[in-house]
Amino acid sequence: MTDCKFSSDAEVIAFARDNSGVFQAGATLGVEEIGDGNINFVYRVYSDDGTSVIIKQALHYIRIIGEGWPLSQDRIRIEAEALQQEAAFCPDLVPRLYHFDAERFAIVMEDIGAHENLRHALIARTRLPLLAEQLGRFTADTLFHTSDLYLDAHRKKELVGRFINPDLCKITEDLFFWDPYCDHERNNINPLLWDEAEALWQDTPLKLEVARLKYRFLTCAEALLHGDLHSGSVFACAEGTKVIDPEFAYFGPVGFDVGSLLGNLLLNYAGQAQLPGSAAERSAYQDWLLETIAGFWNTFSGRFDSLMTEKTQDPSLNLPLYRESYLADLLADSIGYAGTEMIRRTLGLAHVADLESIEDPQQRALAESQVLKLGRAMIMQRGQFGTIDALIAFVRAN
Ligand code: SR1
Ligand code: MG
């Protein structure tokens, strides 16, 4: 356990000056703490000529909980190495890494300031023309190129070893796959939803399917995941998209990353029905969200299929029938993991502003109840949809 926390603004500034290589010698620098995430400390260091960098520091505990929930500081090395892996295939879609410091447990990276947190952008009903295509490309390229469909078998196993991330995985194992399915002290439940939560705790068929998804999360070292690909880990603007924060990266099932994005778009979809604005505005934005879901999946699956066709060397895996069955299984998996994200954001510890910003508890409960029903159906019926259009038709009808 190391307490490496910067003790003053001057220390943060000196660290940025020495380790970024972007500031003019002698420039006057300022610093602000900007972290609103759950886990780390994040600072922006800027000079008066407009140059700036981001510093992220991982302490030996979870920021919002304190020393009562210790957490391995190796997560910041994992984040630095995951950013490098992602940059190898999608350099335009991740912030540039300037420096990783193993003593301070800190990284220095590009300030993506012109981009807005995707969760806030979606709540404000912003239409982002490049989002679907860029998220589809990000997931297809990062996941394919770190899987056995591309990597040499020795290199793949070497990489699996570098990304063993037990503390961060344990957070997901508990918060996604167990807490919401029992009366856990960490849960955070709208009292108006209590009856539905109790019914869910008794729902044995659902718990069986969640156990199946959890076991795959624990054991299926398929590709290097981002591992926490919710809307708060994406920054976007009209000109482009950046994916940040891969500290939960590990080798897991591809459908977990894809499903996290699908689940977050659907959380916003359900929230929109209760957020302020006219019925026409809400429904037009919900249409845009569903188009984005289709565009994301179609880009992802089309690109993944092309990559398998062109780059998979193993002849046993590069068979047209195998490609087809792989992508069908992947859609089912993704829909199931999307359902677990939706349920855990409604009953579990970490809620999302898409629902929390609905001020009236009764209206919030309506959206939360829709999320629970959709999430349950998506987990239970994940193998039956078959196409993204069938999922979208189901969402429209429910
Ligand atoms: C206590 S950590 C809660 C959540 O924040 C992270 O971003 C992950 O999504 C985690 O589940
Ligand atoms: Mg994060």
Side-chain angles (χ1 to χ4, degrees), residues 37-40 56 226 228 230 232-233 244-248:
N38 293 327
I39 298 181
N40 302 296
K56 178 168 179 179
H226 175 285
D228 195 26
H230 57 81
S233 296
I244 66 163
D245 265 9
E247 68 197 313
F248 283 71

Side-chain angles (χ1 to χ4, degrees), residues 8-13 16 29-34 42-47 53 55:
S8 65
D9 286 358
E11 227 178 69
V12 182
I13 288 171
L29 303 186
V31 61
E32 55 182 342
E33 196 190 329
I34 59 166
V42 184
Y43 307 90
R44 178 171 173 273
V45 177
Y46 53 90
S47 87
V53 298
I55 294 179

